[in-house]
Amino acid sequence: MKRKWLHGLAITALAFSLAGCGKSVQEQIEVGVASAETIFQEGAEVPNTTIGSIEVFVPKSYTVEQGANEMNYILTKDKDSYILFVNTNEQEDSKLHYDNLMADQTKNVVKSQEMESDEEFGFSAVVQHEDDKHYELIVSIGGIKMTTISEDRKIEDKLNTMMQIVRSVNIVK
């Protein structure tokens, strides 16, 4: 009887400690945005897929297909969908996507981070939706932007992967 009680107590303690290990939404956002900035600074993954007018790194377990035109691509992983927008008319140092986001007063931007190098401008941002449980995740470099809608989990991982993908895009001329 004593062993069962101790065993139950140990399982309960483990459950509480594991629950405490999960990051809050704000922590996920902070780490995700910082991770995206690191990837921006480090350089691009080697593209492993050619579709439409782009070469792009597509992580394992993701699929990619061309959208309605050569500027839009849809990536999916499990139940998550991502939209990759490639505007070939914008330069790598374009701030168009960032300026449009910041000018939109209807957006509740929880966090945004600008990133610059000598030739490029990029940013990552998290926008909270009205229901407080969904977030729009955005990463962009120049005229290339990727977005997804996420519940309040895996935000950190998604921002990281999204920047890897955006960073890798090479426009085929």
Side-chain angles (χ1 to χ4, degrees):
M1 183 75 157
K2 199 175 196 181
R3 280 189 174 189
K4 284 186 179 180
W5 184 80
L6 286 174
H7 192 270
L9 182 62
I11 289 174
T12 304
L14 180 62
F16 278 116
S17 67
L18 289 176
C21 290
K23 293 179 182 172
S24 71
V25 172
Q26 194 58 41
E27 289 171 322
Q28 289 183 61
I29 291 169
E30 293 293 330
V31 172
V33 167
S35 176
E37 183 174 16
T38 300
I39 292 167
F40 175 86
Q41 294 169 352
E42 287 179 352
E45 293 281 343
V46 176
N48 59 7
T49 303
T50 301
I51 183 165
S53 62
I54 64 168
E55 297 173 331
V56 62
F57 168 72
V58 179
K60 290 181 181 177
S61 72
Y62 282 72
T63 60
V64 62
E65 62 186 66
Q66 191 165 333
N69 56 48
E70 294 225 350
M71 295 176 81
N72 294 290
Y73 302 87
I74 300 167
L75 285 87
T76 54
K77 179 184 179 190
D78 301 325
K79 294 179 182 178
D80 295 322
S81 295
Y82 303 80
I83 298 172
L84 178 64
F85 177 76
V86 181
N87 184 344
T88 58
N89 296 320
E90 292 296 319
Q91 299 297 314
E92 292 176 339
D93 62 350
S94 172
K95 295 183 178 182
L96 177 69
H97 295 303
Y98 181 77
D99 291 342
N100 286 344
L101 175 64
M102 293 299 132
D104 189 343
Q105 298 297 316
T106 66
K107 301 277 188 178
N108 180 13
V109 179
V110 176
K111 175 84 176 172
S112 68
Q113 178 67 48
E114 298 175 47
M115 303 159 230
E116 291 189 69
S117 71
D118 293 338
E119 301 161 356
E120 296 174 308
F121 174 82
F123 75 95
S124 61
V126 178
V127 178
Q128 187 171 21
H129 282 219
E130 294 174 5
D131 66 6
D132 292 339
K133 291 188 180 194
H134 290 89
Y135 297 85
E136 180 180 6
L137 310 180
I138 306 165
V139 298
S140 177
I141 300 174
I144 302 166
K145 178 175 83 167
M146 185 173 217
T147 65
T148 191
I149 302 296
S150 180
E151 291 182 358
D152 56 1
R153 60 181 184 269
K154 297 185 181 179
I155 292 171
E156 173 184 344
D157 295 337
K158 289 177 183 178
L159 285 169
N160 185 321
T161 302
M162 290 167 65
M163 185 56 85
Q164 286 179 329
I165 294 167
V166 167
R167 190 81 174 109
S168 76
V169 172
N170 183 31
I171 300 168
V172 180
K173 304 239 178 193

